[in-house]
């Protein structure tokens, strides 16, 4: 097994490290207080980012085509989980807990589970038509020709979850006012960074071209850093936006 060095792996590994820090921090937070839907979904979301970015970095750094193929399949377990987990976290964070029922949570993962089953079994080449490696400026880069199941999952379904998440964030920002704008902006940045990179890749705009390295996992560094700032600067696990509304609603006294 041989390895190669490239600076393109650095932002991907930064995303892995930041997400790992957020997972550890949240676990320490849950030791001080009881786990909540917000903290549990936040952990799940960051674990998904760790899986996606870690296997993306390993796939890029290794030169063995078979190893690259296995890591390519494994990274989709993380990337396919980020959208549902991010939506669940946003719903929990904004106190829309009526949606956090077992049927709804299971329903969010039905399509990813079907896709993972097709990806690892690949019947009739529904998920992957062909895989190969190419040389990109001295780097051995993995390429895959997607099947119809991959196209159906990657575009329609993968865009629905971020769209719903952004809708919830916009609604909560309007409800809370300017005080919630920094948190919502950081969370929206975390959602939009990979989507923006994906659109640039589909549009073949430099440097997001099919004949170069895949930069979409590198965009996770922006998402992880935005979530990190929101966590430590604005304490999104300690001070959810629902807190102020609940206090004002239930206070027996007047509030100025």
């Amino acid at each position: 097994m041989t390895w190669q060095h490239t600076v393109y792996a650095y932002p991907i590994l930064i995303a892995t490290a930041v997400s790992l820090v957020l997972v550890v921090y949240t676990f320490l937070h849950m030791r001080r207080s009881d786990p909540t839907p917000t903290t549990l979904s936040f952990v799940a979301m960051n674990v998904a980012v760790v899986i996606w970015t870690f296997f993306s970095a390993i796939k890029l750094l290794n030169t063995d085509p078979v190893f690259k193929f296995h890591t390519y399949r494994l990274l989709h377990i993380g990337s396919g989980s980020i959208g549902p987990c991010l939506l669940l976290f946003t719903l929990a964070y904004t106190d829309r807990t009526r949606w956090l029922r077992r049927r709804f949570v299971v329903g969010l993962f039905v399509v990813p589970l079907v896709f993972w089953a097709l990806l690892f079994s690949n019947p009739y080449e529904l998920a992957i038509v062909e895989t190969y490696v190419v040389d990109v400026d001295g780097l051995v880069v993995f390429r895959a020709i997607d099947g119809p199941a991959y196209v159906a999952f990657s575009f329609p379904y993968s865009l629905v979850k971020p769209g719903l998440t952004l809708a919830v964030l916009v609604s909560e920002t309007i409800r809370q006012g300017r005080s919630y704008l920094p948190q919502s902006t950081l969370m929206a940045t975390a959602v939009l960074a990979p989507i923006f990179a994906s659109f640039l890749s589909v549009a073949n705009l430099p440097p997001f071209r099919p004949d170069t390295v895949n930069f979409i996992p590198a965009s996770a560094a922006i998402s992880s850093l935005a979530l990190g700032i929101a966590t430590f600067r604005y304490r999104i696990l300690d001070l959810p936006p629902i807190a102020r509304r609940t206090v004002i609603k239930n206070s027996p006294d007047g509030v100025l």
Side-chain angles (χ1 to χ4, degrees):
M1 184 180 298
T2 57
W3 300 85
Q4 58 189 356
H5 174 267
T6 172
V7 295
Y8 296 129
Y10 291 170
I12 306 176
L13 293 173
I14 289 174
T16 304
V18 172
S19 297
L20 276 174
V21 170
L22 293 177
V23 170
V24 173
Y25 172 79
T26 310
F27 272 118
L28 294 176
H29 181 277
M30 288 190 293
R31 291 184 62 182
R32 298 192 302 266
S33 58
D34 294 333
T36 65
T38 300
T39 54
L40 291 175
S41 56
F42 191 72
V43 167
M45 177 180 61
N46 281 284
V47 169
V49 174
V50 169
I51 295 173
W52 175 38
T53 55
F54 175 75
F55 284 112
S56 295
I58 295 299
K59 178 175 69 70
L60 179 59
L61 293 172
N62 193 271
T63 60
D64 182 10
V66 177
F67 187 85
K68 284 178 174 290
F69 173 66
H70 291 311
T71 53
Y72 172 78
R73 294 191 299 182
L74 289 172
L75 69 86
H76 283 85
I77 297 177
S79 61
S81 302
I82 294 175
C85 290
L86 181 59
L87 177 58
L88 291 174
F89 168 71
T90 306
L91 291 172
Y93 178 67
T94 57
D95 200 44
R96 290 170 168 81
T97 53
R98 65 182 182 276
W99 291 97
L100 304 180
R101 299 176 180 177
R102 182 176 301 178
R103 290 184 178 179
F104 180 76
V105 175
V106 172
L108 288 179
F109 284 92
V110 168
V111 173
L113 286 171
V114 172
F115 173 73
W116 295 332
L118 294 175
L119 181 64
F120 281 87
S121 60
N122 199 30
Y124 306 106
E125 298 182 341
L126 288 175
I128 304 174
V129 176
E130 183 184 357
T131 62
Y132 56 96
V133 294
V134 296
D135 182 275
V136 178
D137 297 329
L139 291 176
V140 180
V141 178
F142 179 85
R143 290 285 185 265
I145 299 178
D146 304 326
Y150 189 99
V151 175
F153 172 80
S154 296
F155 293 98
Y157 184 80
S158 296
L159 291 177
V160 167
K161 295 300 179 290
L164 292 175
T165 301
L166 290 174
V168 173
L169 288 174
V170 171
S171 174
E172 193 65 27
T173 302
I174 295 174
R175 179 184 298 181
Q176 296 294 332
R178 292 184 178 180
S179 61
Y180 184 63
L181 188 59
Q183 296 96 309
S184 63
T185 300
L186 287 168
M187 293 175 65
T189 300
V191 176
L192 290 174
I195 297 176
F196 186 64
S198 299
F199 275 120
L200 292 178
S201 180
V202 172
N204 293 331
L205 295 177
F208 298 86
R209 300 183 63 87
D211 56 348
T212 61
V213 174
N214 183 7
F215 288 99
I216 297 176
S219 66
I222 300 175
S223 301
S224 296
L225 290 173
L227 287 175
I229 295 172
T231 302
F232 295 107
R233 174 65 178 84
Y234 295 101
R235 300 172 61 189
I236 62 175
L237 298 182
D238 299 305
L239 301 174
I242 189 63
R244 180 174 65 86
R245 186 166 70 245
T246 302
V247 169
I248 295 177
K249 179 180 178 180
N250 297 323
S251 175
D253 303 315
V255 178
L256 177 60

